[in-house]
Amino acid sequence: MGSITAEFKNPATTTLLELVKTRRSCYKLKAESPISDEAIESIVQTALLHVPTSFNTQTTRVVLLLKEEHQKLWDITIKIMEGLVADGKVPKEMFENHTKPKLLGFGAGYGTILFFTDFESLAPLKEKFAIYADKFDPFALEANAMAQYLVWTALCSEGFGANLQHYSPLIDEEVQKTWNIPASWKLDAQLVFGTPTGGPGEKTFLPLEDRYKVFGK
């Protein structure tokens, strides 16, 4: 089963789907930006305002780190990983040959967007809609993931390369202290971005026939 080629009523649909195709993980970055910091902020703020959340809970929280503040995050991460090496929890060879170069590569970018979820804000809804209480946390993570994806796609559309990282819970405490983050904000992901100095790797796809069904056509 091949992917379908179709004509759309709105040309913007074709543009949107092309952006979806071109959003890729890019790890070779430099500390330059093709757009203004205000444009970056506009992308992030638009995602926060308009990405849907179940019951309109608006649980996603975001911290934008640029330039020196971005670098500070990855310096903190390296220091934490060095502590794990010193404690014997991470092999030194693996850290020096693989982990540290990777972290230095993240630090070489222009910025990092920290995505948090405020689960505590869901308490009243969990009480009001007790039958769904165990669903609200997963719903909140789904909303956070949609915000990550929208921001990532928009940044790539503007000429950035980006990659999504997950260094929680290792860095949570230091992040909270360094940037005075409320205790109720729980870190989920770190979106690293910068001007790309190389392209993404090859992407492979599982067969559509194993992942897609249609009825009533």
Side-chain angles (χ1 to χ4, degrees):
M1 180 190 299
S3 60
I4 296 172
T5 301
E7 293 185 5
F8 301 105
K9 182 176 70 173
N10 186 348
T13 304
T14 299
T15 301
L16 174 62
L17 294 178
E18 286 303 315
L19 291 175
V20 167
K21 294 176 185 178
T22 56
R23 183 231 45 86
R24 298 289 307 283
S25 294
C26 183
Y27 298 98
K28 296 178 180 180
L29 308 171
K30 61 181 177 179
E32 296 178 6
S33 174
I35 59 177
S36 68
D37 291 347
E38 289 74 19
I40 298 170
E41 287 189 88
S42 180
I43 289 171
V44 175
Q45 291 176 2
T46 298
L48 271 175
L49 288 173
H50 296 288
V51 166
T53 57
S54 64
F55 291 78
N56 196 30
T57 48
Q58 302 181 53
T59 47
T60 300
R61 309 287 184 263
V62 174
V63 172
L64 174 61
L65 303 176
L66 299 173
K67 304 163 188 165
E68 294 83 2
E69 296 299 309
H70 152 82
Q71 181 66 60
K72 187 186 299 182
L73 172 71
W74 298 106
D75 289 343
I76 287 170
T77 307
I78 289 173
K79 185 176 180 180
I80 290 171
M81 293 300 299
E82 288 174 340
L84 294 177
V85 172
D87 291 341
K89 296 178 180 179
V90 173
K92 184 175 181 180
E93 182 179 355
M94 183 179 76
F95 173 72
E96 293 293 342
N97 295 334
H98 300 284
T99 306
K100 187 174 182 179
K102 182 170 62 174
L103 295 174
L104 289 171
F106 300 151
Y110 185 77
T112 300
I113 303 169
L114 305 178
F115 288 89
F116 302 80
T117 300
D118 187 350
F119 293 106
E120 291 184 17
S121 67
L122 294 169
L125 276 175
K126 290 179 179 180
E127 183 176 352
K128 183 177 181 180
F129 301 100
I131 192 172
Y132 296 114
D134 63 337
K135 300 294 185 182
F136 280 110
D137 285 2
F139 288 164
L141 289 174
E142 290 168 3
N144 198 304
M146 286 192 283
Q148 294 169 29
Y149 186 76
L150 175 57
V151 172
W152 190 351
T153 303
L155 289 175
C156 289
S157 176
E158 289 298 306
F160 281 110
N163 60 83
L164 194 66
Q165 299 302 315
H166 300 86
Y167 279 87
S168 298
L170 292 176
I171 64 174
D172 291 13
E173 184 177 352
E174 286 300 318
V175 165
Q176 183 179 357
K177 290 192 301 185
T178 302
W179 289 283
N180 194 29
I181 305 299
S184 63
W185 294 20
K186 301 304 178 186
L187 184 60
D188 182 63
Q190 306 88 52
L191 183 62
V192 185
F193 62 94
T195 296
T197 61
E202 181 182 359
K203 185 172 184 177
T204 59
F205 300 90
L206 294 172
L208 273 175
E209 54 263 33
D210 296 339
R211 301 191 289 150
Y212 173 76
K213 296 182 185 296
V214 59
F215 302 93
K217 183 176 178 180

